[in-house]
Amino acid sequence: MNTIFECLIDSFIETKVGITQDFLDRDLAAKLKQNLCALYAERLMKAAGVGNELFFVENKAIRSDKIYWLDREHNDPHENSFFDIVDAFVVFLNETCYTGITSYEFHYAWYDKGSFYKKHLDQFHQNKDRAFSVIMYLNEAWQAEDGGELRIFHPDYEQLVAPINGRCVFFKSSELPHEVLLTNQPRLSITGWLKTGG
């Protein structure tokens, strides 16, 4: 895994957006996708909102995805395998980049056809704990016409990232505004934040 971690960090250092394939291997990505689809089918996913627990608002004009928070206490073997990878990445990141990450939070995200998330930053005004945003995509055979790209706003250009299966995207939560463009197919991911507090 260290080679994949190094690739992610090297591309982050070069462009402020780390991107790598196979952060999740195909088997684990497939199992996590099965979990996500089952949660959606069982209507256990909740409409996402904007803000944190103190200033939470559901606003479908800003975002229209559905989410479900991951937790080791669910005792799901595939989610725990995912957390094992995240734990290893945090150790690697702290040892090589001295980032001081102490915790993290992740959720499944399901964007129905016609869904989006308008331009935003991931760090809250009232809480600066979120240091890095991490997104892992679970979309097999994704095509350009399916839409749903992540658009990242750099100071002097815009970057489009297709939500291809197994791809991981990594950037500072406080630095780069971004949005999810309108998706023409159901768009699945795991999204989360590496934190310096909490």
Side-chain angles (χ1 to χ4, degrees):
M1 286 300 300
N2 281 7
T3 300
I4 294 173
F5 297 163
E6 287 171 359
C7 178
L8 192 60
I9 292 170
D10 287 346
S11 58
F12 166 76
I13 290 170
E14 184 176 351
T15 67
K16 294 192 174 183
V17 178
I19 299 178
T20 188
Q21 289 298 132
D22 301 322
F23 189 91
L24 304 178
D25 67 45
R26 285 186 174 273
D27 182 62
L28 180 56
K31 294 293 196 306
L32 292 167
K33 180 179 180 179
Q34 287 176 5
N35 282 4
L36 175 48
C37 290
L39 290 165
Y40 182 82
E42 294 166 15
R43 300 182 182 275
L44 294 175
M45 303 191 73
K46 305 297 183 184
V50 294
N52 58 13
E53 63 275 8
L54 298 176
F55 299 93
F56 179 87
V57 177
E58 184 180 330
N59 188 337
K60 292 188 180 298
I62 297 175
R63 67 183 299 186
S64 49
D65 56 318
K66 296 178 176 65
I67 65 171
Y68 182 92
W69 291 98
L70 281 71
D71 195 315
R72 278 195 185 271
E73 292 186 2
H74 297 160
N75 204 28
D76 179 272
H78 310 305
E79 292 174 14
N80 286 346
S81 293
F82 165 78
F83 283 131
D84 289 343
I85 294 170
V86 173
D87 286 339
F89 180 55
V90 167
V91 169
F92 186 87
L93 194 61
N94 284 341
E95 288 180 348
T96 59
C97 301
Y98 310 104
T99 51
I101 301 302
T102 58
S103 64
Y104 51 75
E105 56 187 3
F106 283 90
H107 63 64
Y108 290 119
W110 179 293
Y111 286 77
D112 276 319
K113 180 179 179 179
S115 296
F116 56 86
Y117 192 168
K118 296 293 188 181
K119 185 177 179 180
H120 64 283
L121 272 176
D122 281 349
Q123 193 178 79
F124 301 123
H125 292 297
Q126 304 86 8
N127 186 324
K128 308 297 185 184
D129 285 353
R130 289 180 174 178
F132 295 97
S133 302
V134 188
I135 309 159
M136 282 143 287
Y137 296 113
L138 305 174
N139 306 295
E140 297 176 6
W142 196 261
Q143 303 296 316
E145 59 268 23
D146 295 334
E149 295 95 342
L150 177 69
R151 176 187 280 162
I152 302 172
F153 296 88
H154 295 263
D156 53 354
Y157 70 100
E158 296 176 5
Q159 178 180 5
L160 290 179
V161 181
I164 294 171
N165 192 54
R167 176 171 286 171
C168 178
V169 184
F170 171 79
F171 55 90
K172 277 193 174 182
S173 301
S174 62
E175 283 190 355
L176 294 176
H178 52 283
E179 65 179 338
V180 175
L181 299 181
L182 187 76
T183 183
N184 300 316
Q185 296 290 340
R187 177 189 187 275
L188 286 60
S189 65
I190 295 175
T191 298
W193 300 273
L194 308 183
K195 304 169 70 176
T196 55

